[in-house]
Amino acid sequence: MKPYIVVWKGPIHKASGLGHASRTYAASLRRRGVDVRLGHLRMGKRPSIGRRVLIYHDVPSHIQWHSERNAYDSIILNTVWETSRTPNAWLSHMNKFDAICVPTHHNKRALLNSGVTVPIYIVPHGVDTKVFHPNNQKFILPRADGKFTFVSVFGFQHRKNPEGLLRAYWEEFSAKDNVILVIKTNGYEPYETESWIQRQIWQYKKRLGITKDTAPVVIIGRRLSTRQMKGLYTLGDVFVLPTRGEGVGLPFLEALASGIPVITTAWGGHMDFLTHNNSFLVPYLLKNPSISMNSRHAISRSFSYLFAEKGQLWAEPDHHSLRMSMRKAYENPTLCKRKGSQGRLDVLPLTWSRAGMLMKHVVEKSIRSNKSE
């Protein structure tokens, strides 16, 4: 293989899961001996640095094709998607890339369903099991002392199904149950603060007409440190998120690495690593996202321009089954510990080093197959 460099363009400075993946993928390539530059390559006269590869980790329709094709010998898209099909505006751009990397089989199916014809390679996310592990000091929350604790981590948007989680919890558990639900969430605009999210939730409870003395819910809508986040997982007896669709589901990986089992919908990218041995999997029906977005239960940002096009589907978890899974976990703490221990074992091989190796193979295969080689 002739010398080459990789330029990585993506949300490397963002605090989101996408930003974390972007930084960690790039670092994993570097550990595999790849010369990786972040953001851009200063051109001037074309330097004698061998082949130049762009890995574009951003919205496919935002790429500037003319300038990028002039600058790089190969252009690879690294992307992720949550519903059954990508947005229509993506397709013409995706088929201009030399190759596409996705982290899960769910993503590959979504791209194929959308009409992608260029090579698609699965390059899974990893999880740092030295950072997330069962011995991390628990997050300090006196209200949770002695209680069976459900923990959930998600952005406050409709795809994550916050209303489904809350409704199942409120209907299934009362103040007589020795249980608590701790939700770590965040908004997407400056006004979507912790107090704003709390108001949305309490207004929803009132709208449902739930008047019984329900089990407690704690909403954390502020940023937590890495140490606090690690401890939030180990605070839990079980992690619960009845999502409608995930490209990967980074919190699921972090929960399992922390020895905590998962309750979630049995559809999405997370099904590459969740099983009945490490999780409580909830059955579902596939429906167009606009149905639930327009229902009386919707309480969070919808991003309908991305997810609700004709032909797109995502999973609506069965409400009764979700309640029963939460009840089963609560009544069987020993089962939770057993599933959590299995989950820890299951994710030990899912390293970022493996991701770097697989992505390096894609880069070099793309270079070899490029006609300009």
Side-chain angles (χ1 to χ4, degrees), residues 33-308:
V34 178
D35 183 357
V36 180
R37 320 284 176 89
L38 299 180
H40 67 282
L41 179 65
R42 293 187 178 182
M43 301 304 296
K45 292 184 178 180
R46 184 175 177 123
S48 57
I49 52 177
R51 295 294 174 184
R52 296 176 297 183
V53 178
L54 171 63
I55 298 182
Y56 189 78
H57 192 199
D58 211 332
V59 179
S61 55
H62 290 176
I63 190 170
Q64 301 298 312
W65 279 110
H66 179 72
S67 59
E68 305 296 27
R69 274 298 176 199
N70 287 335
Y72 298 98
D73 300 293
S74 295
I75 303 179
I76 298 170
L77 174 66
N78 189 50
T79 195
V80 63
W81 193 246
E82 293 87 4
T83 68
S84 63
R85 294 173 59 116
T86 61
N88 292 329
W90 285 22
L91 180 59
S92 61
H93 293 275
M94 287 192 294
N95 279 329
K96 292 179 183 178
F97 288 90
D98 296 297
I100 299 177
C101 294
V102 295
T104 65
H105 290 83
H106 169 84
N107 300 150
K108 185 172 183 177
R109 286 191 295 270
L111 266 61
L112 292 173
N113 289 342
S114 304
V116 171
T117 56
V118 299
I120 303 170
Y121 300 96
I122 296 175
V123 180
H125 281 192
V127 62
D128 191 335
T129 54
K130 293 181 180 178
V131 173
F132 295 95
H133 60 79
N135 296 325
N136 282 328
Q137 183 177 356
K138 293 183 179 182
F139 182 82
I140 298 174
L141 187 67
R143 291 184 64 185
D145 288 350
K147 293 183 181 294
F148 185 94
T149 303
F150 292 98
V151 167
S152 194
V153 177
F154 58 87
F156 197 65
Q157 61 164 296
H158 190 70
R159 177 172 57 83
K160 302 292 185 174
N161 197 14
E163 69 278 12
L165 169 60
L166 290 160
R167 183 177 159 214
Y169 179 76
W170 285 329
E171 291 179 357
E172 186 60 34
F173 300 102
S174 73
K176 295 179 181 179
D177 294 299
N178 188 35
V179 65
I180 190 169
L181 170 62
V182 182
I183 294 175
K184 167 63 182 79
T185 188
N186 61 272
Y188 295 89
E189 293 292 341
Y191 70 86
E192 294 178 342
T193 61
E194 181 177 271
S195 58
W196 180 87
I197 292 170
Q198 289 171 340
R199 284 196 302 274
Q200 296 295 108
I201 289 171
W202 308 139
Q203 287 169 7
Y204 176 56
K205 185 178 182 182
K206 184 177 180 180
R207 195 161 72 243
L208 288 175
I210 296 176
T211 57
K212 71 174 183 177
D213 194 6
T214 56
V217 177
V218 174
I219 308 297
I220 304 172
R222 62 189 182 278
R223 187 162 183 181
L224 298 181
S225 67
T226 301
R227 180 169 167 271
Q228 289 173 315
M229 281 302 304
K230 292 187 297 182
L232 188 62
Y233 288 112
T234 52
L235 175 69
D237 294 284
V238 67
F239 182 92
V240 56
L241 179 61
T243 180
R244 294 180 163 104
E246 297 292 326
V248 179
L250 187 60
F252 297 138
L253 283 169
E254 293 172 347
L256 292 185
S258 303
I260 307 302
V262 167
I263 300 174
T264 193
T265 318
W267 186 85
H270 49 280
M271 292 307 295
D272 276 12
F273 51 86
L274 296 187
T275 70
H276 288 288
N277 292 326
N278 60 33
S279 303
F280 301 86
L281 298 174
V282 179
Y284 61 90
L285 293 176
L286 291 178
K287 296 183 179 181
N288 185 271
S290 63
I291 296 172
S292 58
M293 287 178 182
N294 294 319
S295 78
R296 69 186 183 93
H297 295 287
I299 62 172
S300 55
R301 184 174 291 270
S302 69
F303 297 105
S304 59
Y305 65 95
L306 291 173
F307 299 125

